[in-house]
Amino acid sequence: MLTLSVGKSGEEDFFTIQEALDSIPYEEKAVITVKEGIYREKLFSDKKDLVVRGEGKVLITYSDGAREILGDGRKRGTFRSYTAFFSGERLVLENLTFQNSAGSGKDVGQALALYLDSDEAYLLRVTLLGYQDTLFLAPLPDEEREKRGFYGPRFLLERKRRRTVLEACSISGSVDFIFGGGDAVFRNCEIISLEEGYVTAPSGKRDWEGFHFENCIFTSPSSMVEKVYLMRPWRDEGKAVFSHCTFGPHIRKEGFSPWPGREDKANLATFSMEECTFL
């Protein structure tokens, strides 16, 4: 197993996180310890078995937005806007903050802080900062609804089922800021709505697990009252279940909203609140 360190003091193995990632052969299990600091990097990682652990306050930040026009005259798009992309078979992220600082979705469109495409991922005390589409949990849906809408990492590959567990994490955003087709369990997390919008936009299959929130608290720094829905299904069979959660006054009591233009398919989605509390 490789054990690597990243930091700014000059005493660590690498100065940037991407340099450390690039040094690791795909098949080699590796643990990267990132020392306290701000890392202005756009990360891409495809490693079989990887642990990335922060020491102290570690901020990984970038500012790509979906509406940015690139050199070929096309928009960057949602799935190339990520601050960090991880794939592989097993991933552990611990005590790290990932930020997309592009700004509000009203201005820059979608802007991913974290794109997870690992077979199995475990996140502990990870903070995700963004606005629209903060966290994407692969796989993508089978088909696009707009041309080149999925352009980005892995968009031509087979859609494989993925699973993520997040514990004691904090995720902030505004519109569809937790979305995708992966199965995910959120335990004891704080979910922060910065603006009016939708917390989740799941797109998984009917017989998959979808998104499960357990003992999570949903907060907002604003004085919004019933301006945020818990879920709208990005694809018709999307699932989101909320168990023993606490909702601030910004959350709408009905929780669920159909996807615009697909109201007739709303009955295919799965949405439930089990023993939850509205403040």
Side-chain angles (χ1 to χ4, degrees):
M1 182 178 72
L2 292 176
T3 303
L4 306 173
S5 62
V6 176
K8 307 293 188 180
S9 72
E11 298 180 358
E12 294 79 18
D13 298 316
F14 296 95
F15 188 72
T16 70
I17 302 168
Q18 190 63 56
E19 286 179 308
L21 291 168
D22 290 344
S23 75
I24 301 168
Y26 177 82
E27 295 288 339
E28 187 79 26
K29 182 177 181 179
V31 176
I32 300 175
T33 300
V34 183
K35 301 301 180 65
E36 183 166 340
I38 298 174
Y39 297 82
R40 302 187 187 281
E41 302 188 50
K42 186 179 180 75
L43 302 181
F44 183 92
S45 174
D46 182 21
K47 308 299 174 186
K48 182 176 181 179
D49 194 338
L50 176 69
V51 177
V52 184
R53 181 177 294 121
E55 280 191 359
K57 295 181 179 179
V58 175
L59 172 63
I60 302 159
T61 182
Y62 215 73
S63 59
D64 281 345
R67 292 181 188 164
E68 180 185 359
I69 303 300
L70 303 181
D72 59 4
R74 294 172 171 154
K75 291 181 181 179
R76 179 180 298 280
T78 302
F79 299 100
R80 291 191 289 178
S81 71
Y82 60 84
T83 293
F85 170 90
F86 290 94
S87 63
E89 296 182 19
R90 180 179 177 272
L91 172 71
V92 176
L93 301 175
E94 183 178 342
N95 196 36
L96 300 163
T97 296
F98 296 92
Q99 177 189 45
N100 191 314
S101 60
S104 172
K106 299 172 184 176
D107 302 319
V108 303
Q110 299 87 346
L112 278 63
L114 184 60
Y115 184 144
L116 285 179
D117 190 37
S118 302
D119 292 348
E120 294 185 0
Y122 176 70
L123 278 61
L124 176 64
R125 295 190 300 276
V126 170
T127 297
L128 303 177
L129 304 174
Y131 281 86
Q132 185 167 347
D133 293 13
T134 305
L135 170 63
F136 176 65
L137 297 156
L140 290 159
D142 292 332
E143 297 180 355
E144 297 175 324
R145 287 180 178 163
E146 59 182 81
K147 187 176 181 180
R148 295 178 64 86
F150 292 165
Y151 195 79
R154 308 295 191 263
F155 81 107
L156 294 177
L157 297 186
E158 177 187 359
R159 308 302 194 234
K160 293 177 59 179
R161 191 172 178 181
R162 314 292 195 197
R163 179 173 173 80
T164 302
V165 175
L166 304 93
E167 288 201 61
C169 294
S170 174
I171 307 169
S172 66
S174 56
V175 175
D176 304 335
F177 62 98
I178 301 171
F179 76 115
D183 294 333
V185 177
F186 302 79
R187 296 194 185 110
N188 302 306
C189 294
E190 183 177 11
I191 312 299
I192 305 167
S193 292
L194 302 176
E195 298 173 344
E196 180 177 346
Y198 308 84
V199 175
T200 71
S203 59
K205 309 291 186 182
R206 172 171 289 213
D207 58 345
W208 292 6
E209 295 176 11
F211 299 167
H212 283 242
F213 294 83
E214 302 173 357
N215 295 299
C216 294
I217 182 169
F218 292 71
T219 65
S220 176
S222 81
S223 57
M224 295 184 294
V225 177
E226 294 202 39
K227 295 292 186 180
V228 176
Y229 289 95
L230 292 169
M231 172 195 170
R232 63 174 178 174
W234 186 29
R235 290 299 186 269
D236 298 334
E237 296 182 357
K239 291 183 176 182
V241 175
F242 302 82
S243 301
H244 301 92
C245 293
T246 301
F247 304 124
H250 63 295
I251 298 295
R252 297 179 67 102
K253 297 296 193 299
E254 65 270 34
F256 176 86
S257 174
W259 193 266
R262 301 189 70 83
E263 290 82 359
D264 60 331
K265 304 292 185 181
N267 63 316
L268 299 177
T270 299
F271 170 81
S272 68
M273 294 183 286
E274 303 168 356
E275 299 187 51
C276 294
T277 301
F278 283 88
L279 298 178

